Each structure stands twice: as structure tokens, then as C-alpha cells.
Short mmCIF file of all heavy atoms in Angstrom, two decimals:
data_model
loop_
_atom_site.label_atom_id
_atom_site.label_comp_id
_atom_site.label_asym_id
_atom_site.label_seq_id
_atom_site.Cartn_x
_atom_site.Cartn_y
_atom_site.Cartn_z
N THR A 298 0.82 -1.21 -0.05
CA THR A 298 -0.03 -0.06 -0.01
C THR A 298 0.90 1.29 0.03
O THR A 298 0.58 2.24 -0.78
CB THR A 298 -0.94 0.01 1.21
OG1 THR A 298 -1.77 -1.17 1.17
CG2 THR A 298 -1.83 1.18 1.25
N ALA A 299 1.94 1.22 0.74
CA ALA A 299 2.74 2.42 0.83
C ALA A 299 3.46 2.65 -0.45
O ALA A 299 3.65 3.77 -0.93
CB ALA A 299 3.87 2.16 2.04
N LEU A 300 3.88 1.49 -1.22
CA LEU A 300 4.51 1.66 -2.53
C LEU A 300 3.62 2.26 -3.52
O LEU A 300 4.01 2.70 -4.56
CB LEU A 300 5.11 0.35 -2.93
CG LEU A 300 6.29 -0.23 -2.15
CD1 LEU A 300 6.70 -1.60 -2.55
CD2 LEU A 300 7.50 0.78 -2.29
N LEU A 301 2.32 2.21 -3.30
CA LEU A 301 1.37 2.83 -4.22
C LEU A 301 0.89 4.19 -3.89
O LEU A 301 -0.04 4.75 -4.47
CB LEU A 301 0.09 1.84 -4.27
CG LEU A 301 0.41 0.54 -5.00
CD1 LEU A 301 -0.88 -0.43 -4.73
CD2 LEU A 301 0.59 0.67 -6.44
N ALA A 302 1.54 4.82 -2.83
CA ALA A 302 1.03 6.05 -2.30
C ALA A 302 1.10 7.20 -3.50
O ALA A 302 0.16 8.07 -3.41
CB ALA A 302 1.93 6.52 -1.14
N GLU A 303 2.05 7.15 -4.32
CA GLU A 303 2.14 8.07 -5.38
C GLU A 303 1.02 7.94 -6.37
O GLU A 303 0.77 8.93 -7.16
CB GLU A 303 3.46 7.97 -6.17
CG GLU A 303 4.74 8.04 -5.36
CD GLU A 303 5.29 6.63 -5.21
OE1 GLU A 303 4.61 5.65 -5.09
OE2 GLU A 303 6.60 6.53 -5.24
N HIS A 304 0.38 6.86 -6.44
CA HIS A 304 -0.66 6.65 -7.36
C HIS A 304 -2.07 6.80 -6.84
O HIS A 304 -3.07 6.36 -7.50
CB HIS A 304 -0.54 5.27 -8.03
CG HIS A 304 0.69 5.02 -8.78
ND1 HIS A 304 0.92 5.51 -10.01
CD2 HIS A 304 1.83 4.24 -8.45
CE1 HIS A 304 2.10 5.22 -10.38
NE2 HIS A 304 2.72 4.44 -9.45
N LEU A 305 -2.20 7.41 -5.65
CA LEU A 305 -3.47 7.59 -5.05
C LEU A 305 -3.99 8.98 -5.28
O LEU A 305 -3.37 9.93 -4.99
CB LEU A 305 -3.43 7.27 -3.53
CG LEU A 305 -3.04 5.87 -3.21
CD1 LEU A 305 -3.05 5.73 -1.58
CD2 LEU A 305 -4.05 4.85 -3.76
N ARG A 306 -5.19 9.05 -5.83
CA ARG A 306 -5.83 10.36 -5.98
C ARG A 306 -6.62 10.81 -4.77
O ARG A 306 -7.73 10.86 -4.63
CB ARG A 306 -6.79 10.28 -7.15
CG ARG A 306 -7.29 11.59 -7.70
CD ARG A 306 -8.20 11.46 -8.92
NE ARG A 306 -9.35 10.54 -8.69
CZ ARG A 306 -9.43 9.39 -9.08
NH1 ARG A 306 -8.45 8.78 -9.78
NH2 ARG A 306 -10.60 8.63 -8.85
N LEU A 307 -5.80 10.88 -3.65
CA LEU A 307 -6.38 11.25 -2.28
C LEU A 307 -5.64 12.41 -1.72
O LEU A 307 -4.36 12.42 -1.78
CB LEU A 307 -6.19 9.97 -1.41
CG LEU A 307 -7.01 8.79 -1.76
CD1 LEU A 307 -6.56 7.51 -0.89
CD2 LEU A 307 -8.50 8.94 -1.67
N THR A 308 -6.30 13.26 -1.08
CA THR A 308 -5.69 14.27 -0.32
C THR A 308 -5.19 13.73 1.05
O THR A 308 -5.58 12.55 1.39
CB THR A 308 -6.63 15.42 0.02
OG1 THR A 308 -7.71 14.96 0.84
CG2 THR A 308 -7.25 16.04 -1.31
N LYS A 309 -4.33 14.42 1.75
CA LYS A 309 -3.92 14.00 3.08
C LYS A 309 -4.97 13.69 4.00
O LYS A 309 -4.97 12.78 4.86
CB LYS A 309 -2.93 14.97 3.67
CG LYS A 309 -1.57 15.13 3.00
CD LYS A 309 -0.71 16.13 3.70
CE LYS A 309 0.64 16.24 3.08
NZ LYS A 309 1.56 17.18 3.75
N ALA A 310 -6.07 14.39 3.89
CA ALA A 310 -7.24 14.27 4.80
C ALA A 310 -7.88 12.89 4.63
O ALA A 310 -8.51 12.37 5.56
CB ALA A 310 -8.25 15.36 4.56
N TRP A 311 -7.76 12.28 3.46
CA TRP A 311 -8.22 10.90 3.15
C TRP A 311 -7.12 9.89 3.30
O TRP A 311 -7.29 8.76 3.81
CB TRP A 311 -8.86 10.83 1.74
CG TRP A 311 -10.31 11.46 1.83
CD1 TRP A 311 -10.67 12.74 1.42
CD2 TRP A 311 -11.56 10.84 2.17
NE1 TRP A 311 -11.91 12.93 1.52
CE2 TRP A 311 -12.50 11.81 1.96
CE3 TRP A 311 -11.82 9.58 2.63
CZ2 TRP A 311 -13.79 11.48 2.35
CZ3 TRP A 311 -13.16 9.25 2.95
CH2 TRP A 311 -14.10 10.20 2.74
N ARG A 312 -5.98 10.23 2.72
CA ARG A 312 -4.88 9.16 2.62
C ARG A 312 -4.35 8.79 3.99
O ARG A 312 -4.24 7.67 4.38
CB ARG A 312 -3.77 9.75 1.76
CG ARG A 312 -2.63 8.74 1.49
CD ARG A 312 -1.47 9.41 0.77
NE ARG A 312 -0.86 10.37 1.53
CZ ARG A 312 -0.37 11.53 1.09
NH1 ARG A 312 -0.70 11.88 -0.19
NH2 ARG A 312 0.15 12.44 1.87
N ASN A 313 -4.05 9.81 4.80
CA ASN A 313 -3.52 9.53 6.12
C ASN A 313 -4.33 8.66 7.00
O ASN A 313 -3.85 7.79 7.66
CB ASN A 313 -2.97 10.82 6.74
CG ASN A 313 -1.78 11.42 6.08
OD1 ASN A 313 -1.17 10.83 5.29
ND2 ASN A 313 -1.56 12.72 6.33
N PRO A 314 -5.65 9.10 7.22
CA PRO A 314 -6.57 8.20 7.98
C PRO A 314 -6.66 6.79 7.39
O PRO A 314 -6.66 5.84 8.20
CB PRO A 314 -7.93 8.91 7.90
CG PRO A 314 -7.57 10.39 7.65
CD PRO A 314 -6.31 10.34 6.74
N ALA A 315 -6.70 6.70 6.06
CA ALA A 315 -6.83 5.32 5.52
C ALA A 315 -5.58 4.53 5.85
O ALA A 315 -5.63 3.33 6.21
CB ALA A 315 -6.90 5.42 3.90
N PHE A 316 -4.39 5.10 5.73
CA PHE A 316 -3.17 4.47 6.03
C PHE A 316 -3.20 4.07 7.57
O PHE A 316 -2.69 3.10 7.95
CB PHE A 316 -1.89 5.25 5.73
CG PHE A 316 -1.55 5.28 4.21
CD1 PHE A 316 -2.41 4.68 3.33
CD2 PHE A 316 -0.48 5.88 3.82
CE1 PHE A 316 -2.06 4.66 1.93
CE2 PHE A 316 -0.12 5.95 2.33
CZ PHE A 316 -1.00 5.29 1.49
N ALA A 317 -3.67 5.06 8.37
CA ALA A 317 -3.62 4.81 9.82
C ALA A 317 -4.50 3.63 10.16
O ALA A 317 -4.25 2.80 11.02
CB ALA A 317 -4.14 6.01 10.57
N LEU A 318 -5.75 3.55 9.52
CA LEU A 318 -6.65 2.44 9.70
C LEU A 318 -6.02 1.06 9.46
O LEU A 318 -6.02 0.09 10.23
CB LEU A 318 -7.90 2.58 8.92
CG LEU A 318 -8.86 3.62 9.38
CD1 LEU A 318 -9.92 3.80 8.33
CD2 LEU A 318 -9.50 3.30 10.78
N ILE A 319 -5.25 1.10 8.28
CA ILE A 319 -4.52 -0.23 7.83
C ILE A 319 -3.45 -0.54 8.87
O ILE A 319 -3.30 -1.75 9.34
CB ILE A 319 -3.90 0.01 6.50
CG1 ILE A 319 -5.12 0.14 5.39
CG2 ILE A 319 -3.11 -1.19 6.09
CD1 ILE A 319 -4.57 0.52 4.02
N ALA A 320 -2.71 0.48 9.29
CA ALA A 320 -1.65 0.25 10.27
C ALA A 320 -2.12 -0.29 11.59
O ALA A 320 -1.71 -1.19 12.19
CB ALA A 320 -0.77 1.54 10.41
N VAL A 321 -3.16 0.54 12.19
CA VAL A 321 -3.62 0.20 13.48
C VAL A 321 -4.27 -1.27 13.40
O VAL A 321 -4.04 -2.06 14.31
CB VAL A 321 -4.63 1.26 13.99
CG1 VAL A 321 -5.40 0.87 15.26
CG2 VAL A 321 -3.85 2.58 14.18
N GLY A 322 -5.19 -1.43 12.47
CA GLY A 322 -5.83 -2.77 12.40
C GLY A 322 -4.85 -3.91 12.14
O GLY A 322 -4.95 -4.94 12.73
N GLY A 323 -3.87 -3.66 11.22
CA GLY A 323 -2.80 -4.67 11.02
C GLY A 323 -1.99 -4.98 12.19
O GLY A 323 -1.48 -6.08 12.39
N LEU A 324 -1.59 -3.99 13.03
CA LEU A 324 -0.84 -4.31 14.25
C LEU A 324 -1.64 -4.91 15.34
O LEU A 324 -1.11 -5.78 16.07
CB LEU A 324 -0.30 -2.89 14.71
CG LEU A 324 0.77 -2.29 13.94
CD1 LEU A 324 1.08 -0.88 14.38
CD2 LEU A 324 2.04 -3.10 13.95
N LEU A 325 -2.91 -4.51 15.54
CA LEU A 325 -3.69 -5.02 16.54
C LEU A 325 -4.28 -6.37 16.40
O LEU A 325 -4.40 -7.25 17.30
CB LEU A 325 -4.89 -3.99 16.91
CG LEU A 325 -4.54 -2.71 17.52
CD1 LEU A 325 -5.75 -1.92 17.77
CD2 LEU A 325 -3.75 -2.91 18.83
N LEU A 326 -4.74 -6.75 15.06
CA LEU A 326 -5.31 -8.03 14.86
C LEU A 326 -4.42 -9.22 15.32
O LEU A 326 -4.93 -10.14 16.00
CB LEU A 326 -5.67 -8.06 13.37
CG LEU A 326 -6.51 -9.36 13.05
CD1 LEU A 326 -7.60 -9.01 12.03
CD2 LEU A 326 -5.65 -10.53 12.51
N PRO A 327 -3.11 -9.31 14.93
CA PRO A 327 -2.34 -10.47 15.36
C PRO A 327 -2.32 -10.53 16.88
O PRO A 327 -2.28 -11.63 17.48
CB PRO A 327 -0.97 -10.23 14.77
CG PRO A 327 -1.30 -9.36 13.57
CD PRO A 327 -2.34 -8.42 13.97
N VAL A 328 -2.28 -9.40 17.53
CA VAL A 328 -2.16 -9.40 19.05
C VAL A 328 -3.46 -9.98 19.59
O VAL A 328 -3.45 -10.87 20.54
CB VAL A 328 -1.90 -7.93 19.53
CG1 VAL A 328 -1.97 -7.96 21.12
CG2 VAL A 328 -0.55 -7.42 19.10
N PHE A 329 -4.64 -9.55 19.07
CA PHE A 329 -5.87 -10.00 19.58
C PHE A 329 -6.07 -11.46 19.33
O PHE A 329 -6.71 -12.17 20.03
CB PHE A 329 -7.01 -9.08 19.08
CG PHE A 329 -7.10 -7.69 19.75
CD1 PHE A 329 -7.23 -6.59 18.95
CD2 PHE A 329 -6.92 -7.59 21.06
CE1 PHE A 329 -7.37 -5.36 19.52
CE2 PHE A 329 -6.98 -6.33 21.71
CZ PHE A 329 -7.18 -5.12 20.82
N VAL A 330 -5.62 -11.84 18.14
CA VAL A 330 -5.76 -13.27 17.76
C VAL A 330 -4.96 -14.19 18.66
O VAL A 330 -5.37 -15.22 19.16
CB VAL A 330 -5.34 -13.47 16.32
CG1 VAL A 330 -5.04 -15.02 16.00
CG2 VAL A 330 -6.26 -12.97 15.21
N TYR A 331 -3.82 -13.68 19.14
CA TYR A 331 -2.98 -14.39 20.02
C TYR A 331 -3.68 -14.47 21.35
O TYR A 331 -3.58 -15.54 22.11
CB TYR A 331 -1.58 -13.75 20.22
CG TYR A 331 -0.63 -14.40 21.23
CD1 TYR A 331 0.07 -15.53 20.90
CD2 TYR A 331 -0.54 -13.88 22.52
CE1 TYR A 331 0.90 -16.17 21.77
CE2 TYR A 331 0.27 -14.40 23.44
CZ TYR A 331 1.04 -15.59 23.10
OH TYR A 331 1.85 -16.22 23.96
N LEU A 332 -4.34 -13.43 21.83
CA LEU A 332 -4.95 -13.41 23.12
C LEU A 332 -6.22 -14.09 23.23
O LEU A 332 -6.69 -14.58 24.31
CB LEU A 332 -5.16 -11.88 23.54
CG LEU A 332 -3.84 -11.07 23.79
CD1 LEU A 332 -4.36 -9.61 24.07
CD2 LEU A 332 -3.03 -11.57 24.88
N ALA A 333 -6.94 -14.25 22.12
CA ALA A 333 -8.36 -14.81 22.10
C ALA A 333 -8.36 -16.15 22.68
O ALA A 333 -9.25 -16.42 23.69
CB ALA A 333 -8.86 -14.89 20.66
N PRO A 334 -7.60 -17.24 22.35
CA PRO A 334 -7.78 -18.54 23.04
C PRO A 334 -7.36 -18.56 24.48
O PRO A 334 -7.66 -19.46 25.16
CB PRO A 334 -6.81 -19.41 22.20
CG PRO A 334 -5.77 -18.52 21.71
CD PRO A 334 -6.47 -17.17 21.46
N ARG A 335 -6.73 -17.53 24.94
CA ARG A 335 -6.19 -17.51 26.32
C ARG A 335 -7.13 -16.74 27.29
O ARG A 335 -7.28 -17.05 28.44
CB ARG A 335 -4.84 -16.87 26.34
CG ARG A 335 -3.78 -17.78 25.70
CD ARG A 335 -2.57 -16.96 25.40
NE ARG A 335 -1.50 -17.89 24.78
CZ ARG A 335 -1.47 -18.36 23.56
NH1 ARG A 335 -2.43 -17.93 22.68
NH2 ARG A 335 -0.51 -19.13 23.17
N PHE A 336 -7.87 -15.74 26.73
CA PHE A 336 -8.64 -14.91 27.50
C PHE A 336 -10.12 -14.73 27.11
O PHE A 336 -10.86 -13.90 27.69
CB PHE A 336 -8.03 -13.57 27.71
CG PHE A 336 -6.64 -13.56 28.22
CD1 PHE A 336 -5.52 -13.33 27.40
CD2 PHE A 336 -6.38 -13.78 29.62
CE1 PHE A 336 -4.18 -13.36 27.97
CE2 PHE A 336 -5.10 -13.80 30.08
CZ PHE A 336 -4.03 -13.65 29.29
N GLY A 337 -10.52 -15.43 26.08
CA GLY A 337 -11.94 -15.42 25.76
C GLY A 337 -12.31 -14.79 24.50
O GLY A 337 -11.59 -14.15 23.80
N TYR A 338 -13.73 -14.84 24.23
CA TYR A 338 -14.27 -14.38 22.98
C TYR A 338 -14.19 -12.78 22.80
O TYR A 338 -14.29 -12.30 21.70
CB TYR A 338 -15.66 -14.74 22.85
CG TYR A 338 -15.79 -16.32 22.59
CD1 TYR A 338 -16.67 -17.08 23.31
CD2 TYR A 338 -15.08 -16.86 21.58
CE1 TYR A 338 -16.80 -18.48 23.06
CE2 TYR A 338 -15.14 -18.22 21.21
CZ TYR A 338 -15.99 -18.96 22.00
OH TYR A 338 -16.12 -20.37 21.76
N PHE A 339 -14.07 -12.07 23.91
CA PHE A 339 -13.96 -10.64 23.82
C PHE A 339 -12.79 -10.26 22.89
O PHE A 339 -12.91 -9.34 22.07
CB PHE A 339 -13.82 -9.99 25.15
CG PHE A 339 -13.49 -8.49 25.07
CD1 PHE A 339 -14.55 -7.57 24.79
CD2 PHE A 339 -12.22 -8.08 25.33
CE1 PHE A 339 -14.23 -6.22 24.66
CE2 PHE A 339 -11.94 -6.66 25.35
CZ PHE A 339 -12.92 -5.75 24.91
#
């Protein structure tokens, strides 16, 4: 996604939040997946 940044017809107001969503979700999901079988369905 980062390598395609030059090809995005997005202003910073759209691009930066989109990248942030990908980064935050991508970082948190493996952590929560690891915790799920140990601490429950939450």
C-alpha cells in the first residue's frame, strides 16, 4: 500500500486516515488473535 502512495488520488485528509486504519488494524489483529484462546471471545 505504501509503495502505491504516489498513485493515489487522495488528499492527506483521506490518505493519512486510510493508512492509519490499515496500520492500526494490522498491528492489533495479530495481538488480539494471540490473546483470544487464552482470555476469551472478547
Side-chain angles (χ1 to χ4, degrees):
T298 302
L300 291 174
L301 290 170
E303 307 107 319
H304 295 286
L305 297 180
R306 190 176 61 254
L307 296 172
T308 64
K309 288 183 179 180
W311 282 97
R312 185 186 66 223
N313 290 345
F316 284 7
L318 287 174
I319 295 171
V321 171
L324 289 170
L325 290 180
L326 187 141
V328 175
F329 287 135
V330 167
Y331 178 81
L332 295 175
R335 292 161 175 80
F336 301 106
Y338 287 130
F339 171 76

